[in-house]
């Protein structure tokens, strides 16, 4: 057993999740592929959204996959970094907006 | 300006050193299958030639640029060029073989002193498709080349130009400072004489290759991005975009090794092996000729000095009717032609 929870080569084995539950695994990948096909949003836009979300959920596999996907599509550094900032802003904002809950409760309970 | 591997006396300047790398390491240890094994495993061995349709003539390795990814190791310091005697022999071959396509490459083929004479002679033979692989910047390098777009148009040449990206940063990083704006200027000059314009019959195609250790995205989608961006920002028109995968040869191989991407890149190519691309790889219908008149199954084999596997290896004795009789010489660089949608000098091989 290697001494790390994450192995880069596991990304390539992702499809293997189907082995232990073919029906669910196949459904997932079918859904996944449909989600990323061009629709109302272009495949390029979806790639940038995926990159931002990858950072928010802090998944190293997804970051690897969508950095490479962006490079292949010709998405530029600046665009990728702005997408990551969108993720960071939402995540930061989501933390901070709960401050209103804290403030309300604090005030309600205080004399 | 960076120098060629040859000028730097880099060990990779020797083709044997490159072949050693491709034959050993991860392919020797069995970590990755050799290309020949992969073909066998997919029921596609041996790779066979069909009919000779394209003569790709490398006029020499001289070039005004020194691109970081160049598989030719071309540059201003390279002086190799084809002699007039060999050019004349090529004309004879074009005549007797009746090939539909003559593909002139280099280096920068325009820098050959007999370039215009040769193009005129090829055109006079009535060849259907005369391709000149132009790096664009040569067309605006100095006053001498300013008339070349007009010359191309008069001879009905099909211009295939490399433009790594539709934005400055990525282009200049791969090909050198100032290359992007010079390329735009050259494209405008080609458009001005009719290239890429509807109904002109003057074909202008662009070549995209990734600026780094990754595969190109889908050709159709990139073509759309290039067309929109070049038209909106610069008013430039072109016909088709060819996506080409970088093969692990020469300066691109040097880059892969220096950036520690070699093994991962080879793994990416092997993982992306697409059996559907195999039947259309260039070597099945192309003969590549070097400046000394030696023959190869493709331009990549030329750079690795792997001559055709035939008793006749020089154009002097070559009989084009024997083209399909000999096997194709392959090694691990061939994975670059079969990855994903496949890759060739005419772009992707499968939809
Ligand atoms: S890639 Fe083309 S333009 Fe660049 S150095 Fe090589 S031959 Fe010259
Ligand atoms: S590198 Fe040359 S020999 Fe190998 S598959 Fe490609 S065209 Fe054929």
């Amino acid at each position: 057993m290697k001494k790390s929870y994450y192995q880069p080569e596991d990304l390539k084995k992702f499809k293997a999740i189907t082995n232990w539950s073919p029906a669910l695994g196949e459904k997932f990948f079918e859904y996944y592929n449909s989600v990323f096909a061009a629709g109302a949003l272009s495949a390029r836009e979806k790639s940038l959204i995926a990159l931002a979300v990858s950072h928010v959920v802090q998944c190293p596999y997804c970051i690897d996959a969508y950095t490479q996907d962006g490079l292949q599509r010709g998405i530029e550094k600046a665009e990728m970094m702005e997408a990551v900032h969108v993720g960071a802003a939402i995540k930061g904002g989501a933390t901070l907006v709960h401050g209103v809950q804290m403030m309300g409760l604090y005030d309600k309970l205080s004399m | 300006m960076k120098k060629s591997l040859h000028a730097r006396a880099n060990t990779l300047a020797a083709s044997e050193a490159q072949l050693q790398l491709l034959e050993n390491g991860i392919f020797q240890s069995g970590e990755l299958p050799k290309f020949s094994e992969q073909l066998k495993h997919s029921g596609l061995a041996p790779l066979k030639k069909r009919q000779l349709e394209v003569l790709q003539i490398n006029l020499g390795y001289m070039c005004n640029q020194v691109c970081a990814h160049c598989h030719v190791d071309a540059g201003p310091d390279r002086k190799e060029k084809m002699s007039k005697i060999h050019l004349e022999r090529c004309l004879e071959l074009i005549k007797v073989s009746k090939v539909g396509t003559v593909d002139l490459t280099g280096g920068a083929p325009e820098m050959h002193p007999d370039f215009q004479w040769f193009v005129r002679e090829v055109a006079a033979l009535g060849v259907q498709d005369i391709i000149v692989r132009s790096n664009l910047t040569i067309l605006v390098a100095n006053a001498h080349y300013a008339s070349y777009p007009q010359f191309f148009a008069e001879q009905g040449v099909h211009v295939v130009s490399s433009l790594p990206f539709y934005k400055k940063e990525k282009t200049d990083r791969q090909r050198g400072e100032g290359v992007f704006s010079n390329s735009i200027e050259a494209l405008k000059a080609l458009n001005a004489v009719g290239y890429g314009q509807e109904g002109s019959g003057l074909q202008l195609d662009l070549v995209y290759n990734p600026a780094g250790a990754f595969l190109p995205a889908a050709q159709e989608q990139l073509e759309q991005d290039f067309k929109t961006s070049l038209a909106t920002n610069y008013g430039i028109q072109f016909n088709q975009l060819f996506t080409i995968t970088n093969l692990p040869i020469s300066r691109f191989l040097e880059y892969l090794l220096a950036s520690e991407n070699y093994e991962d890149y080879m793994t990416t190519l092997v993982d992306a092996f697409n059996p559907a691309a195999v039947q259309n790889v260039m070597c099945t219908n192309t003969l590549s000729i070097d400046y000394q008149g030696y023959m190869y199954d493709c331009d990549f084999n030329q750079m690795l000095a792997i001559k055709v596997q035939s008793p006749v290896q020089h154009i002097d004795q070559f009989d084009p009717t024997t083209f399909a009789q000999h096997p194709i010489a392959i090694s691990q660089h061939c994975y670059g032609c079969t990855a994903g949608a496949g890759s060739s000098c005419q772009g992707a091989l499968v939809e």
Side-chain angles (χ1 to χ4, degrees), chain B residues 47-225:
Chain B
L47 194 53
K48 281 204 180 117
K49 297 189 196 187
R50 297 191 309 261
Q51 213 191 329
L52 179 58
E53 290 165 341
V54 183
L55 266 191
Q56 189 172 57
I57 306 171
N58 192 310
L59 295 183
Y61 304 150
M62 59 279 164
C63 190
N64 58 321
Q65 290 183 190
V66 196
C67 305
H69 70 289
C70 184
H71 77 272
V72 178
D73 193 27
D77 55 67
R78 300 297 301 267
K79 304 294 174 211
E80 298 90 334
K81 62 173 189 290
M82 193 178 269
S83 69
K84 190 107 182 216
I85 295 171
H86 292 331
L87 288 172
E88 275 163 355
R89 174 65 188 143
C90 286
L91 290 172
E92 277 173 35
L93 280 180
I94 295 166
K95 210 191 287 178
V96 295
S97 65
K98 300 195 179 68
V99 284
T101 303
V102 172
D103 187 340
L104 303 181
T105 184
E110 299 96 325
M111 288 173 80
H112 193 290
D114 296 317
F115 175 77
Q116 293 211 3
W117 166 80
F118 189 64
V119 170
R120 280 197 188 96
E121 294 291 316
V122 177
L125 292 175
V127 174
Q128 211 182 335
D129 191 16
I130 307 171
I131 297 174
V132 171
R133 295 195 180 265
S134 177
N135 69 18
L136 292 175
T137 60
I138 189 71
L139 302 177
V140 294
N142 60 48
H144 172 73
Y145 296 106
S147 62
Y148 276 50
Q150 187 58 41
F151 169 74
F152 288 158
E154 282 160 15
Q155 301 302 320
V157 161
H158 171 183
V159 178
V160 177
S161 289
S162 20
L163 187 72
F165 205 55
Y166 50 82
K167 288 194 178 164
K168 185 172 181 303
E169 184 205 339
K170 283 191 185 174
T171 302
D172 285 359
R173 194 145 25 91
Q174 183 181 89
R175 300 180 83 84
E177 201 50 50
V179 166
F180 186 74
S181 50
N182 287 337
S183 302
I184 293 295
E185 203 184 315
L187 285 171
K188 284 183 176 163
L190 287 165
N191 276 174
V193 298
Y195 275 97
Q197 311 294 325
E198 232 179 278
S200 72
L202 295 172
Q203 182 91 5
L204 170 62
D205 296 328
L206 296 184
V207 170
Y208 160 89
N209 61 291
F214 53 93
L215 296 178
Q219 185 165 278
E220 254 172 61
Q221 182 220 316
L222 275 175
E223 179 177 291
Q224 214 39 58
D225 293 349

Side-chain angles (χ1 to χ4, degrees), chain A residues 12 43-44 67-80, chain B residues 165-167 169-170 173 208 213-217 221-222 225 267 271:
Chain A
K12 291 198 186 91
R44 191 179 195 278
T67 303
Q68 297 210 39
D69 189 68
L71 268 167
Q72 290 183 9
R73 290 180 189 281
I75 299 178
E76 300 204 63
K77 273 182 193 170
E79 297 175 279
M80 290 169 79
Chain B
F165 205 55
Y166 50 82
K167 288 194 178 164
E169 184 205 339
K170 283 191 185 174
R173 194 145 25 91
Y208 160 89
F214 53 93
L215 296 178
Q221 182 220 316
L222 275 175
D225 293 349
T267 309
D271 285 347

